[in-house]
Amino acid sequence: MKQYHIPVEATLDVIGGKWKVVILCHLKKGTKRTSELKRLMPNITQKMLTQQLRELEDDGIIQRKVYNQVPPKVEYSLTDYGSSLNTILDDLCTWGECHLEKNNSTSMLITIED
Amino acid sequence: MKQYHIPVEATLDVIGGKWKVVILCHLKKGTKRTSELKRLMPNITQKMLTQQLRELEDDGIIQRKVYNQVPPKVEYSLTDYGSSLNTILDDLCTWGECHLEKNNSTSMLITIED
DNA sequence: CGGTATCCTTCCTGATACTG
DNA sequence: CAGTATCAGGAAGGATACCG
């Protein structure tokens, strides 16, 4: 069993992956299909997207719903437990916005509209 | 210039390093010497500790104070700007505590007393 | 459309030695 | 004490091709 030295390490184990916070920020706004997530994160590879989604699912943060149809359709959404991260996710987003403003670098931001 | 797709990526660029949140959680409780940080994080290597501290310093999150004496003494502390992360750090810690409790895994936690 | 498998690069670790 | 340097090995992440 894994051993931590301070509790925050447990949080990082769950949301510390390179793309997990970004994925959760998108899912916080609502259910998304795999292809939607991919489009919202142009720089993520298919492999990493699947991998990070699986780990979040295994930790009970997100829910995976498969529609048995052709072509396939898979939807991801936050679980109730995952929603307990909403405050943190909001604060992380807000801090990022302020950080960008502070550096007069709003031009650094490209927002892909939903 | 770096391009982001959503603001939270800017936050992750600053505190997304493998050990940065843990370091910041320790510094939030007060100024620490290098050796203290090393003791609080037994699993971090000297190299990574120095590296993560440098990056945090470059981003204006922490302050490095060198005392010109023998043996050398170096102290690290949060800057005012770094303190703007305090709420986030607290929430991350709290969530980790709840997560550990939920999994009935308080035994997973080893706290090294200051 | 969603996911796997393979290969490759980069980052991180561990150990050790060395400097001011 | 704090930091740098080196090098080997492992883990995490990325690029590409392929499958149902």
Side-chain angles (χ1 to χ4, degrees):
Chain A
M1 181 171 288
K2 185 129 186 189
Q3 304 276 319
Y4 299 112
H5 292 86
I6 53 172
V8 75
E9 291 181 280
T11 309
L12 295 175
D13 254 16
V14 176
I15 63 168
K18 180 162 187 180
W19 297 93
K20 289 183 183 175
V21 168
V22 177
I23 291 173
L24 294 176
C25 282
H26 287 305
L27 291 185
K28 186 168 62 62
K29 299 176 189 165
T31 300
K32 294 275 185 297
R33 295 185 59 167
T34 311
S35 54
E36 288 179 298
L37 288 172
K38 184 77 190 66
R39 187 171 48 80
L40 291 166
M41 298 177 283
N43 295 327
I44 197 173
T45 60
Q46 177 81 37
K47 175 191 164 186
M48 283 308 295
L49 179 57
T50 303
Q51 183 180 309
Q52 303 274 292
L53 287 169
R54 287 290 178 285
E55 293 178 8
L56 288 170
E57 190 187 0
D58 291 343
D59 284 324
I61 306 297
I62 67 174
Q63 203 165 11
R64 182 171 184 264
K65 181 169 183 183
V66 182
Y67 295 83
N68 279 322
Q69 61 181 52
V70 179
K73 178 177 174 181
V74 179
E75 284 183 343
Y76 293 94
S77 57
L78 289 184
T79 61
D80 287 346
Y81 187 51
S83 297
S84 68
L85 288 164
N86 278 350
T87 307
I88 291 174
L89 295 173
D90 283 335
D91 288 348
L92 287 172
C93 287
T94 303
W95 195 91
E97 289 167 8
C98 293
H99 184 66
L100 287 172
E101 282 180 27
K102 172 179 176 271
N103 295 341
N104 281 333
S105 306
T106 46
S107 62
M108 291 162 67
L109 179 65
I110 302 179
T111 302
I112 307 270
E113 304 296 336
D114 288 14
Chain B
M1 182 173 286
K2 185 129 186 187
Q3 306 275 319
Y4 300 113
H5 292 85
I6 54 171
V8 75
E9 291 181 280
T11 308
L12 296 175
D13 253 16
V14 175
I15 63 168
K18 179 161 188 180
W19 295 94
K20 290 182 183 175
V21 168
V22 177
I23 291 174
L24 293 176
C25 282
H26 287 306
L27 291 184
K28 187 169 61 62
K29 298 176 189 165
T31 300
K32 294 274 185 296
R33 295 186 59 169
T34 310
S35 55
E36 289 179 296
L37 288 172
K38 184 78 192 67
R39 187 171 48 82
L40 291 166
M41 297 177 284
N43 295 328
I44 196 173
T45 59
Q46 176 84 31
K47 178 186 165 189
M48 281 310 292
L49 179 57
T50 303
Q51 182 180 311
Q52 303 275 293
L53 288 169
R54 288 290 178 286
E55 294 179 7
L56 288 170
E57 189 187 1
D58 291 343
D59 284 323
I61 305 297
I62 67 173
Q63 203 165 12
R64 181 171 184 264
K65 182 170 183 183
V66 182
Y67 295 83
N68 279 321
Q69 63 183 47
V70 179
K73 177 178 174 180
V74 179
E75 283 182 345
Y76 293 93
S77 58
L78 290 184
T79 60
D80 287 346
Y81 187 51
S83 297
S84 68
L85 288 164
N86 277 350
T87 307
I88 291 174
L89 295 173
D90 282 335
D91 289 348
L92 288 172
C93 288
T94 303
W95 195 90
E97 290 166 8
C98 294
H99 184 67
L100 288 172
E101 281 180 26
K102 172 179 177 268
N103 296 343
N104 281 334
S105 307
T106 46
S107 62
M108 290 162 67
L109 179 66
I110 302 179
T111 302
I112 307 271
E113 304 297 336
D114 288 13

